Amino acid sequence: MVTESGIRETESAESVDGIGPEAPRRQHIAAPPLAPELPAANREGLPFLTLVAIVVLAGLSHLTGAPIFITVGLLATGMAGLAVHLRARRTDRRAVALLGETAARSRAEVETLADRMWEMQESEERFRGLIDALGDLVVHRDRDGHIVYANKVFADLVGSDQRDLAGRTLAELGIDVGIVPDAAFSDHECLSSTDVAINMPSGPRWFSWIELSVRDKESGAVSHRAIARDITARKHAESSLITARERAEYASQAKSRFLATVSHEIRTPMNGIMGMARLLADTNLSPEQRTYVGAVSTSASALLALIEDLLDYSKIEAGRFDPEPQPMSVREIADNIIELLAARAFAKNIGVGCHVEPDVPQMISADPGRVRQVLLNLIGNAIKFTDSGGVLVTVARARTETTDRIRFSVTDTGPGLSEDDLERIFEEFEQVDGSSTRAHGGAGLGLAISKRLVTAMGGTISVSSRLGQGSEFVFEIPVISAIEAPQMRQNALSGRRAVILSKNAIEADAIARTIRANGGMVDLAATAAQAEPFAEGCDVLLVDAAMEDSDGRLLKRLRQSGFADCEAITLIAPTDRGMLGEFRASGYSTFLARPVRGETLLRVLLTSSVPALTQPQAEKRGAPSVRAIAGRRQGLSVLIAEDNDINAMLARATLLKAGHRVKVVGNGKAAVEAVTGTSHKHRFDVVLMDLHMPVMDGLDAIAAIRRHEEETAVPPVPIMVLSADSQEKTRHAVLAHGASGFVTKPLDPDALVHAVEGRWRRDPPSCPPSFPA
């Protein structure tokens, strides 16, 4: 209700909507009156008494004989006063009415404003309650960092009353949050964010502190308003992730060390098994014994291939594969792998061939080891699953306006793949036939590893196939730092015409592609009768040795049917080398070893005077055999530092059989003493150094030998490292320590002899070789 003074009394807390005494009280203030009011009797009686007094005065003046004009004037004055009174009374009533209306309007506006202020206060209180419910901290600080306002959550966190926080700084409360300098928000505002730790009895709690610093445009006043959210759980999770990552990195490093150790430990006994089987095969054995030795070698090779796949997959999974590009010859790698796997193909009576397009660069920059590994997997799989026909490898250059790539294609005539197989063939541990009755073994890792290797080199790999129609695997790698092939090769066989007589369509097709790509003409025939129509204009006749008889009957028939003037070349498999003398007697001028290299084919076809067909010429192709090298008796002096007796025995027997002289020591220290204690006239020609040995390992021994050579100014001796650790970083590490080469275990006898003699030829000794005393 409203009192006489115009103020509405405050309603009691208990009477407002049933809210308790703690609820805020609401007041309505009415506008005060504009002027004090007189009593109503006074306002009505004053004009009447004045009129009566004037009339009385007019009567007295008339009775006393006053002039008439005085009496008339008094009466006129009274009448005028009465008129004025009446008019004033009407005006006063209007003013009072207007004043009442204005007062009522003012009271309504004041009440409306009070209601709005009350609603704003209630909204602010609800907002603050919501922020407090969320658990966020709200702090308002002035220019100097003193707290102007802090919400209840902040007060509870620091253990203070809200009213006591005003005027204090965060530093006084143990919170390290500085003030943003005024210069940082010259453009009127600056939003900053940081993570703040607040120490609590139970441990530090972390908050994401976001603060808006604002400068008023007109007054220049500065205020800092912050809101902070608890991120302690996130900080703990981040700390756990960091710890887990560190543990994972340590585990990865431990895994790498484990892989290197396992690789070495597995390769060491495998080296003994395979090497000794090879040495045993070179002795006088009965046919039955030779079969058993061959089975041992085959089983050991299969086991080693499986181990290699598992180790490679583990290294890739651990993220330890980094391509190491270096100059490489695409032609050389493709031809070498075809030659390496040809024995498997010939054992299954299938053909294998390789064709490299002339526009393929002579050299590119890539990782040769990884390219070789992918080709081995793809070609090896093709041979394994092909039982008739053969495997053709094609290397071409695929160029567009934006890309330049080398395209490797491996095509086979095997059973092919279904649509479902195509979708999963590159997955880990997947096989085309996963049943227990499958005909082919393997861990299902070769293609998965190949895909990862190709992807890591920036390339792509794909497969296309149909059931019963064979498969084609294609992978591409980018051409980097290409060195183009000589232009003269592109039409080197222009005007030449050849006829190929062979039942092996795959190999014949590979040879024909090479001839046509270099400008020549060629016809293919599977029988002598099919070849006869192509006799006219033929320059060279290529005949598969598998179709020829020991007396040369096929060539004689061909000569009689029109091939009398053309040059005859026989295509021989490694098992046909013993018949070279008979082929020469039958009229063949030379031979080409299957699978035929493109470089060798061009050289033979371009040679005007073909050398005679002799047995020594057959040994020029590829790595020299142990028996052939043994006949030359070069007599190099070789030091072998190897702590494993079986490996030392294998290397020693291999080199002795090749005609070299060998000394064996069991550790790196003994190797250093043997090299540094030898006089200048009796130096070793080559040193074979194992990496892992007692007393002193191989790297320390190499470093000691190189220091001695520098101090004594003697030419460096070639040092070949023997190691079962085939990782690229290991290879680079030993070369950086001064080694001259790297030979991977298990040791292949022919490869070992070739490496030793090849290194000695590149780094010849300064004195005649002789065995040291």
Side-chain angles (χ1 to χ4, degrees):
M1 61 183 177
V2 182
T3 63
E4 294 181 357
S5 60
I7 302 177
R8 181 177 297 176
E9 294 181 354
T10 303
E11 298 177 1
S12 64
E14 292 83 352
S15 64
V16 180
D17 299 330
I19 300 178
E22 296 299 326
R25 297 186 176 184
R26 184 174 177 179
Q27 295 182 350
H28 291 275
I29 303 174
L34 299 179
E37 298 180 357
L38 293 175
N42 293 338
R43 292 196 303 267
E44 298 294 332
L46 181 60
F48 178 76
L49 291 177
T50 303
L51 178 62
V52 171
I54 294 173
V55 172
V56 171
L57 288 175
L60 288 176
S61 64
H62 179 71
L63 292 177
T64 56
I68 190 62
F69 69 89
I70 295 175
T71 302
V72 174
L74 288 172
L75 289 174
T77 301
M79 293 304 293
L82 179 60
V84 171
H85 168 70
L86 293 175
R87 181 178 297 177
R89 188 173 182 179
R90 287 195 300 270
T91 303
D92 183 60
R93 287 176 180 175
R94 292 177 183 176
V96 169
L98 180 61
L99 180 61
E101 293 178 1
T102 302
R105 191 182 303 114
S106 299
R107 291 190 185 98
E109 291 176 353
V110 170
E111 290 178 359
T112 302
L113 178 61
D115 289 340
R116 290 179 179 176
M117 292 176 63
W118 172 254
E119 292 174 358
M120 291 176 62
Q121 183 179 0
E122 286 183 337
S123 298
E124 183 178 355
E125 290 175 353
R126 284 196 297 269
F127 176 73
R128 291 180 178 178
L130 177 60
I131 293 296
D132 292 343
L134 293 176
D136 292 341
L137 310 182
V138 178
V139 181
H140 178 200
R141 296 186 291 167
D142 61 15
R143 184 190 196 108
D144 299 323
H146 295 97
I147 296 176
V148 177
Y149 167 80
N151 68 338
K152 188 175 183 300
V153 177
F154 181 83
D156 293 342
L157 182 68
V158 299
S160 299
D161 189 271
Q162 280 184 267
R163 293 168 293 184
D164 298 335
L165 292 175
R168 303 182 65 181
T169 64
L170 294 180
E172 295 174 359
L173 300 174
I175 302 175
D176 184 17
V177 179
I179 291 293
V180 177
D182 291 358
F185 51 98
S186 57
D187 293 336
H188 311 303
E189 68 178 33
C190 174
L191 186 66
S192 58
S193 176
T194 185
D195 292 345
V196 178
I198 300 179
N199 293 319
M200 304 296 295
S202 59
R205 291 178 62 182
W206 286 87
F207 291 85
S208 176
W209 191 281
I210 301 176
E211 189 167 70
L212 178 63
S213 301
V214 181
R215 181 195 302 274
D216 187 81
K217 296 181 179 180
E218 297 179 358
S219 64
V222 174
S223 63
H224 307 274
R225 300 176 182 270
I227 184 168
R229 175 156 295 180
D230 193 335
I231 58 170
T232 305
R234 192 189 77 186
K235 281 291 184 179
H236 288 167
E238 290 176 354
S239 178
S240 300
L241 287 176
I242 292 173
T243 302
R245 184 183 63 185
E246 292 176 349
R247 291 179 178 176
E249 290 176 352
Y250 178 80
S252 180
Q253 295 174 359
K255 185 176 181 180
S256 296
R257 293 192 297 269
F258 171 76
L259 288 174
T261 303
V262 168
S263 175
H264 181 272
E265 295 301 325
I266 292 178
R267 288 170 181 269
T268 297
M270 289 300 298
N271 179 46
I273 295 173
M274 298 177 69
M276 291 301 171
R278 182 71 65 88
L279 291 178
L280 183 61
D282 288 338
T283 63
N284 294 324
L285 301 176
S286 65
E288 184 179 7
Q289 291 172 331
R290 193 170 298 279
T291 300
Y292 296 155
V293 172
V296 171
S297 298
T298 301
S299 299
S301 299
L303 178 59
L304 183 63
L306 176 60
I307 293 170
E308 291 285 356
D309 283 347
L310 293 175
L311 292 176
D312 286 338
Y313 180 74
S314 299
K315 285 187 288 187
I316 295 174
E317 280 292 296
R320 295 298 177 183
F321 167 68
D322 293 319
E324 299 181 2
Q326 54 184 288
M328 57 163 271
S329 171
V330 177
R331 288 182 175 82
E332 190 69 21
I333 287 180
D335 286 336
N336 287 345
I337 294 174
I338 287 295
E339 284 185 353
L340 179 65
L341 299 178
R344 299 185 194 177
F346 296 153
K348 299 182 67 174
N349 198 28
I350 61 175
V352 60
C354 177
H355 167 61
V356 182
E357 294 287 349
D359 63 341
V360 171
Q362 186 174 355
M363 301 288 291
I364 65 171
S365 179
D367 190 328
R370 301 310 177 183
V371 174
R372 184 182 298 109
Q373 187 173 356
V374 174
L375 283 175
L376 281 171
N377 284 334
L378 297 183
I379 301 174
N381 276 348
I383 294 175
K384 180 169 68 173
F385 290 102
T386 301
D387 295 324
S388 62
V391 177
L392 176 63
V393 178
T394 304
V395 184
R397 190 171 189 175
R399 279 191 284 192
T400 64
E401 295 180 357
T402 58
T403 62
D404 189 3
R405 292 177 170 248
I406 298 296
R407 186 175 189 269
F408 298 87
S409 173
V410 180
T411 306
D412 63 63
T413 57
L417 300 170
S418 66
E419 292 293 333
D420 294 337
D421 294 333
L422 294 177
E423 295 179 359
R424 62 183 178 87
I425 196 66
F426 291 107
E427 300 296 329
E428 290 83 358
F429 306 105
E430 289 288 348
Q431 295 176 321
V432 174
D433 183 4
S435 66
S436 59
T437 59
R438 64 181 184 269
H440 305 284
L445 285 175
L447 293 178
I449 293 174
S450 298
K451 181 177 180 179
R452 296 199 178 201
L453 294 178
V454 172
T455 302
M457 290 186 291
T460 59
I461 187 170
S462 61
V463 59
S464 59
S465 178
R466 287 187 179 181
L467 281 176
Q469 299 182 16
S471 305
E472 181 183 18
F473 287 84
V474 176
F475 78 93
E476 297 181 352
I477 58 174
V479 174
I480 301 174
S481 303
I483 299 177
E484 301 297 336
Q487 292 297 323
M488 57 177 294
R489 297 167 47 90
Q490 309 238 340
N491 295 303
L493 298 180
S494 179
R496 301 294 301 273
R497 181 169 181 173
V499 174
I500 303 174
L501 178 58
S502 174
K503 294 181 180 180
N504 195 314
I506 294 294
E507 291 188 29
D509 182 48
I511 297 172
R513 291 189 182 194
T514 302
I515 294 175
R516 294 190 184 108
N518 288 273
M521 296 175 290
V522 61
D523 296 297
L524 304 179
T527 63
Q530 294 177 359
E532 290 178 1
F534 306 133
E536 185 177 356
C538 176
D539 298 314
V540 59
L541 177 64
L542 305 176
V543 181
D544 190 347
M547 302 177 62
E548 183 60 274
D549 297 318
S550 58
D551 58 357
R553 187 180 311 171
L554 177 60
L555 181 58
K556 293 178 182 177
R557 175 183 172 182
L558 292 172
R559 295 290 192 195
Q560 294 172 358
S561 61
F563 291 96
D565 298 330
C566 66
E567 178 184 357
I569 301 175
T570 182
L571 308 175
I572 66 168
T575 55
D576 299 327
R577 290 179 181 269
M579 300 177 61
L580 289 177
E582 298 175 359
F583 290 149
R584 179 189 179 188
S586 300
Y588 289 97
S589 59
T590 187
F591 74 96
L592 287 170
R594 298 171 49 201
V596 178
R597 283 177 174 254
E599 297 283 347
T600 305
L601 175 64
L602 291 178
R603 185 177 65 251
V604 170
L605 295 182
L606 291 174
T607 303
S608 57
S609 177
V610 181
L613 187 64
T614 59
Q615 177 68 23
Q617 185 178 355
E619 300 296 343
K620 291 181 182 180
R621 178 179 178 271
S625 66
V626 174
R627 289 193 178 95
I629 295 175
R632 296 199 292 268
R633 296 290 178 184
Q634 296 183 11
L636 296 178
S637 175
V638 182
L639 174 67
I640 301 176
E642 171 65 71
D643 62 319
N644 185 279
D645 294 337
I646 296 179
N647 289 338
M649 184 187 307
L650 171 61
R652 181 176 181 275
T654 300
L655 294 176
L656 287 176
K657 184 173 292 188
H660 305 300
R661 296 187 293 278
V662 181
K663 180 177 181 178
V664 180
V665 295
N667 58 71
K669 183 178 180 180
V672 174
E673 294 174 350
V675 174
T676 59
T678 303
S679 66
H680 184 66
K681 293 183 179 181
H682 301 282
R683 297 187 66 209
F684 290 101
D685 300 312
V686 180
V687 176
L688 299 178
M689 184 79 69
D690 187 25
L691 275 186
H692 305 286
M693 294 182 292
V695 184
M696 179 183 289
D697 65 15
L699 293 180
D700 292 339
I702 294 173
I705 292 173
R706 295 308 186 207
R707 285 196 302 269
H708 172 76
E709 292 170 343
E710 292 177 0
E711 294 171 356
T712 57
V714 297
V717 59
I719 301 178
M720 305 292 293
V721 171
L722 304 176
S723 177
D725 186 355
S726 61
Q727 298 183 84
E728 289 296 326
K729 65 178 183 180
T730 303
R731 184 187 302 270
H732 289 179
V734 300
L735 295 177
H737 273 74
S740 305
F742 192 94
V743 180
T744 304
K745 299 176 184 177
L747 297 176
D748 177 85
D750 289 346
L752 176 62
V753 174
H754 181 71
V756 169
E757 293 194 343
R759 177 54 57 184
W760 181 79
R761 283 192 296 269
R762 286 191 292 272
D763 302 321
S766 57
C767 300
S770 59
F771 196 86

